[in-house]
Amino acid sequence: MRRLGHGGMGTVYLGRDPNLDRQVAVKVLREPLADDELLQRFLREARATANLRHENLVTIYEVDQHDHQPFIAMEYVDGTTLAEVIKRRQQLLLAQKCSFVEQICAGLHHAHRVGIVHRDIKPANVMVDAQG
């Protein structure tokens, strides 16, 4: 697996689902959760998130653990992070910038309606694909 990035919560790798022959992003938590209560809470929250379906949210395919090491297998988005777009000082029309904000808000609104709060919204956690 190729590492795509890492952040506060864990590391994301590019993998392949052998059963469906598709690329997936696999997020592995930084530290194994030795505390069973924390592990169960993580798995519960991840499973709730897996039920979300929205065009502005990645689809979660699987949530599980291996030797108390939780992981999330999710849709792979072929693109770049909004952080990279900002860092490159890529020229964007005001309409494109507004579209990014609208799409982020639409995804968050969908999650909020079912009681899920993303606690780490930042440009590094927003993907921009070829369609914007």
Side-chain angles (χ1 to χ4, degrees):
M1 283 197 284
R2 183 179 64 140
R3 189 171 88 168
L4 297 174
H6 64 283
M9 188 177 188
T11 303
V12 179
Y13 298 93
L14 176 61
R16 176 159 294 285
D17 180 336
N19 295 323
L20 298 175
D21 192 31
R22 65 178 170 193
Q23 291 183 312
V24 294
V26 180
K27 178 181 260 185
V28 179
L29 291 190
R30 183 181 305 270
E31 298 292 328
L33 294 179
D35 181 343
D36 195 54
E37 186 176 324
L38 283 176
L39 176 61
Q40 292 310 313
R41 191 178 97 202
F42 165 80
L43 293 172
R44 214 173 23 256
E45 289 178 8
R47 287 182 185 118
T49 303
N51 290 318
L52 294 177
R53 296 290 180 270
H54 191 274
E55 67 182 342
N56 300 119
L57 300 173
V58 295
T59 300
I60 294 178
Y61 300 136
E62 183 177 3
V63 176
D64 209 341
Q65 60 175 318
H66 178 72
D67 292 333
H68 287 281
Q69 181 70 57
F71 69 87
I72 301 171
M74 64 191 112
E75 172 186 7
Y76 168 68
V77 177
D78 188 9
T80 187
T81 66
L82 184 56
E84 284 298 317
V85 171
I86 293 168
K87 183 178 175 182
R88 290 191 312 247
R89 297 188 168 276
Q90 186 174 332
Q91 293 295 315
L92 298 172
L93 298 173
L94 179 58
Q96 290 172 298
K97 294 175 185 178
C98 289
S99 176
F100 289 167
V101 172
E102 288 173 3
Q103 292 177 69
I104 293 165
C105 289
L108 290 173
H109 176 69
H110 181 75
H112 290 176
R113 284 196 338 236
V114 295
I116 296 172
V117 177
H118 191 301
R119 292 180 171 88
D120 196 22
I121 294 299
K122 60 187 177 187
N125 288 339
V126 175
M127 294 298 298
V128 180
D129 65 11
Q131 289 75 45

